[in-house]
Amino acid sequence: MSKSAGIVIIGNEVLSGKTQDTNSYFLCTELRRLGVEVQKISTITDVIELIGQEVTAFSEKFDLVFTTGGVGPTHDDVTIDGIAHGFGIRVVRHPDIEQRMRHRLGADINEARLRMANVPEGAELLATEALFAPVVKIRNVFIFPGIPRILQERFHVIKETFRDAPYFLKNVYVKHGEGVIATMLNDLLAKFPQLLLGSYPVLDTPEYKVKVTLESKDSDYLERALRSFISSLPDGAVHRID
């Protein structure tokens, strides 16, 4: 079984359309490459109780939980408070973060900025070379900032922590539409029930009509399923395989 993951996107700005969420796409893409199966994404508002409920529910259900957003110095940055509330623990000021912030900012430090040194009690810091935005880990929850560039930089520093057995993937580009190949897809899953099978219509490419994806963590299983699928298609139906 793969490691499972859930992603919680936190921010009114995403739900109101003021900001487009690119963090979940990035995390899904990177985690898949690492062999981790993302099973759910939730986007929620900046409400302490809701954050606590959602994150603790995800923590119980998935091996890994990733949150993004709500860790800055302003009034709506309540992710830390929400997660601490959900786990029933205190929010404390982390001395290492505070010390670095005071050293960097000097006389410009203020209480709003120091809020960024708050963490749930018992939290661990990862990617600590980041001055203002280390990754805060509490239990199986990894708390990331919402700014995409910072999130991506922090994730790449610690991503090997999450690596699992890889997925093997084959893409088959088929010249016939889904109505023609649906029966073949159903038969394929009956023969290979552990196969991860996807079918995606393509409307803007004349060379093929459907992209079929076959995935497995067992490369031999995948190859056998691929051969079976190809042999079931009409002659000349395959545009290409990669």
Side-chain angles (χ1 to χ4, degrees):
M1 295 293 291
S2 303
K3 292 179 183 175
S4 62
I7 300 170
V8 182
I9 307 298
I10 300 166
N12 295 341
E13 68 277 12
V14 176
L15 290 167
S16 65
K18 296 184 181 72
T19 299
Q20 183 176 7
D21 167 43
T22 59
N23 289 331
S24 60
Y25 175 77
F26 168 81
L27 288 171
C28 286
T29 302
E30 291 296 324
L31 289 167
R32 193 70 172 189
R33 289 172 180 163
L34 292 166
V36 178
E37 181 183 3
V38 176
Q39 295 185 355
K40 188 174 183 179
I41 301 170
S42 178
T43 305
I44 60 175
T45 56
D46 304 299
V47 175
I48 289 175
E49 292 77 14
L50 179 58
I51 294 169
Q53 292 169 8
E54 197 77 342
V55 172
T56 53
F58 272 48
S59 178
E60 293 173 359
K61 186 172 183 180
F62 306 118
D63 297 317
L64 305 168
V65 180
F66 300 87
T67 76
T68 77
V71 293
T74 58
H75 68 284
D76 56 350
D77 291 312
V78 294
T79 294
I80 296 296
D81 300 85
I83 293 174
H85 175 77
F87 285 130
I89 55 182
R90 296 188 304 150
V91 173
V92 298
R93 186 149 292 172
H94 198 289
D96 291 349
I97 303 177
E98 180 176 359
Q99 181 180 7
R100 289 188 303 160
M101 292 182 69
R102 289 188 182 277
H103 177 74
R104 174 68 180 269
L105 295 171
D108 291 330
I109 197 71
N110 57 37
E111 186 59 29
R113 283 171 166 164
L114 283 172
R115 289 186 65 228
M116 297 173 66
N118 290 348
V119 300
E121 188 173 29
E124 176 185 358
L125 297 186
L126 306 175
T128 54
E129 67 274 19
L131 180 63
F132 294 114
V135 178
V136 176
K137 177 187 176 186
I138 183 71
R139 302 185 189 182
N140 62 338
V141 179
F142 298 81
I143 305 170
F144 282 87
I147 299 172
R149 181 178 63 83
I150 299 176
L151 178 147
Q152 292 170 23
E153 289 175 352
R154 297 304 96 218
F155 182 87
H156 284 306
V157 170
I158 67 171
K159 67 181 182 181
E160 291 304 318
T161 304
F162 313 122
R163 186 173 294 280
D164 200 358
Y167 285 99
F168 297 96
L169 169 67
K170 289 292 184 180
N171 300 307
V172 182
Y173 301 85
V174 182
K175 298 177 184 179
H176 299 293
E178 286 188 314
V180 175
I181 68 171
T183 299
M184 293 83 160
L185 295 173
N186 292 336
D187 290 344
L188 182 64
L189 271 184
K191 293 178 183 177
F192 298 91
Q194 301 304 315
L195 183 70
L196 300 174
L197 181 64
S199 176
Y200 310 100
V202 178
L203 301 179
D204 55 356
T205 302
E207 288 83 3
Y208 56 90
K209 294 184 178 179
V210 180
K211 175 184 175 181
V212 177
T213 63
L214 297 81
E215 290 180 274
S216 175
K217 291 199 169 190
D218 183 332
S219 59
D220 179 67
Y221 189 81
L222 176 63
E223 289 297 332
R224 288 189 286 115
L226 176 64
R227 290 195 298 269
S228 178
F229 178 55
I230 297 305
S231 67
S232 72
L233 293 171
D235 291 341
V238 177
H239 171 64
R240 77 173 190 271
I241 301 171
D242 59 28

